[in-house]
PDB file of all heavy atoms in Angstrom:
ATOM      1  N   SER A1297     -42.141 -14.057  -3.725  1.00  0.00           N
ATOM      2  CA  SER A1297     -42.632 -14.220  -2.350  1.00  0.00           C
ATOM      3  C   SER A1297     -44.147 -14.086  -2.255  1.00  0.00           C
ATOM      4  O   SER A1297     -44.743 -14.455  -1.244  1.00  0.00           O
ATOM      5  CB  SER A1297     -41.969 -13.187  -1.427  1.00  0.00           C
ATOM      6  OG  SER A1297     -42.227 -11.872  -1.892  1.00  0.00           O
ATOM      7  N   VAL A1298     -44.752 -13.535  -3.312  1.00  0.00           N
ATOM      8  CA  VAL A1298     -46.213 -13.423  -3.366  1.00  0.00           C
ATOM      9  C   VAL A1298     -46.677 -13.984  -4.700  1.00  0.00           C
ATOM     10  O   VAL A1298     -46.257 -13.523  -5.763  1.00  0.00           O
ATOM     11  CB  VAL A1298     -46.678 -11.960  -3.214  1.00  0.00           C
ATOM     12  CG1 VAL A1298     -48.198 -11.894  -3.326  1.00  0.00           C
ATOM     13  CG2 VAL A1298     -46.215 -11.379  -1.885  1.00  0.00           C
ATOM     14  N   VAL A1299     -47.543 -14.980  -4.649  1.00  0.00           N
ATOM     15  CA  VAL A1299     -48.059 -15.615  -5.857  1.00  0.00           C
ATOM     16  C   VAL A1299     -49.578 -15.487  -5.882  1.00  0.00           C
ATOM     17  O   VAL A1299     -50.260 -15.993  -4.987  1.00  0.00           O
ATOM     18  CB  VAL A1299     -47.661 -17.112  -5.918  1.00  0.00           C
ATOM     19  CG1 VAL A1299     -48.214 -17.754  -7.186  1.00  0.00           C
ATOM     20  CG2 VAL A1299     -46.152 -17.253  -5.854  1.00  0.00           C
ATOM     21  N   ASP A1300     -50.086 -14.778  -6.889  1.00  0.00           N
ATOM     22  CA  ASP A1300     -51.544 -14.575  -7.015  1.00  0.00           C
ATOM     23  C   ASP A1300     -52.148 -13.983  -5.745  1.00  0.00           C
ATOM     24  O   ASP A1300     -53.226 -14.391  -5.292  1.00  0.00           O
ATOM     25  CB  ASP A1300     -52.237 -15.898  -7.356  1.00  0.00           C
ATOM     26  CG  ASP A1300     -51.804 -16.439  -8.709  1.00  0.00           C
ATOM     27  OD1 ASP A1300     -51.492 -15.622  -9.594  1.00  0.00           O
ATOM     28  OD2 ASP A1300     -51.760 -17.680  -8.866  1.00  0.00           O
ATOM     29  N   GLY A1301     -51.404 -13.038  -5.154  1.00  0.00           N
ATOM     30  CA  GLY A1301     -51.900 -12.377  -3.958  1.00  0.00           C
ATOM     31  C   GLY A1301     -51.717 -13.153  -2.669  1.00  0.00           C
ATOM     32  O   GLY A1301     -52.054 -12.660  -1.597  1.00  0.00           O
ATOM     33  N   LYS A1302     -51.172 -14.363  -2.750  1.00  0.00           N
ATOM     34  CA  LYS A1302     -50.974 -15.184  -1.567  1.00  0.00           C
ATOM     35  C   LYS A1302     -49.476 -15.259  -1.229  1.00  0.00           C
ATOM     36  O   LYS A1302     -48.645 -15.378  -2.125  1.00  0.00           O
ATOM     37  CB  LYS A1302     -51.512 -16.592  -1.802  1.00  0.00           C
ATOM     38  CG  LYS A1302     -53.018 -16.632  -2.049  1.00  0.00           C
ATOM     39  CD  LYS A1302     -53.495 -18.068  -2.272  1.00  0.00           C
ATOM     40  CE  LYS A1302     -55.001 -18.105  -2.523  1.00  0.00           C
ATOM     41  NZ  LYS A1302     -55.496 -19.487  -2.753  1.00  0.00           N
ATOM     42  N   PRO A1303     -49.133 -15.186   0.059  1.00  0.00           N
ATOM     43  CA  PRO A1303     -47.716 -15.211   0.441  1.00  0.00           C
ATOM     44  C   PRO A1303     -47.059 -16.554   0.146  1.00  0.00           C
ATOM     45  O   PRO A1303     -47.669 -17.613   0.319  1.00  0.00           O
ATOM     46  CB  PRO A1303     -47.758 -14.929   1.947  1.00  0.00           C
ATOM     47  CG  PRO A1303     -49.122 -15.348   2.389  1.00  0.00           C
ATOM     48  CD  PRO A1303     -50.026 -15.050   1.231  1.00  0.00           C
ATOM     49  N   ASN A1304     -45.824 -16.483  -0.295  1.00  0.00           N
ATOM     50  CA  ASN A1304     -45.005 -17.663  -0.540  1.00  0.00           C
ATOM     51  C   ASN A1304     -43.717 -17.477   0.247  1.00  0.00           C
ATOM     52  O   ASN A1304     -42.738 -16.955  -0.263  1.00  0.00           O
ATOM     53  CB  ASN A1304     -44.718 -17.809  -2.043  1.00  0.00           C
ATOM     54  CG  ASN A1304     -43.741 -18.940  -2.329  1.00  0.00           C
ATOM     55  OD1 ASN A1304     -43.614 -19.889  -1.549  1.00  0.00           O
ATOM     56  ND2 ASN A1304     -43.015 -18.829  -3.448  1.00  0.00           N
ATOM     57  N   PRO A1305     -43.682 -17.884   1.518  1.00  0.00           N
ATOM     58  CA  PRO A1305     -42.532 -17.620   2.393  1.00  0.00           C
ATOM     59  C   PRO A1305     -41.207 -18.130   1.841  1.00  0.00           C
ATOM     60  O   PRO A1305     -40.158 -17.605   2.184  1.00  0.00           O
ATOM     61  CB  PRO A1305     -42.905 -18.361   3.690  1.00  0.00           C
ATOM     62  CG  PRO A1305     -44.392 -18.453   3.656  1.00  0.00           C
ATOM     63  CD  PRO A1305     -44.746 -18.632   2.215  1.00  0.00           C
TER      64      PRO A1305
END
Side-chain angles (χ1 to χ4, degrees):
S1297 58
V1298 178
V1299 180
D1300 296 329
K1302 297 180 180 180
N1304 174 25

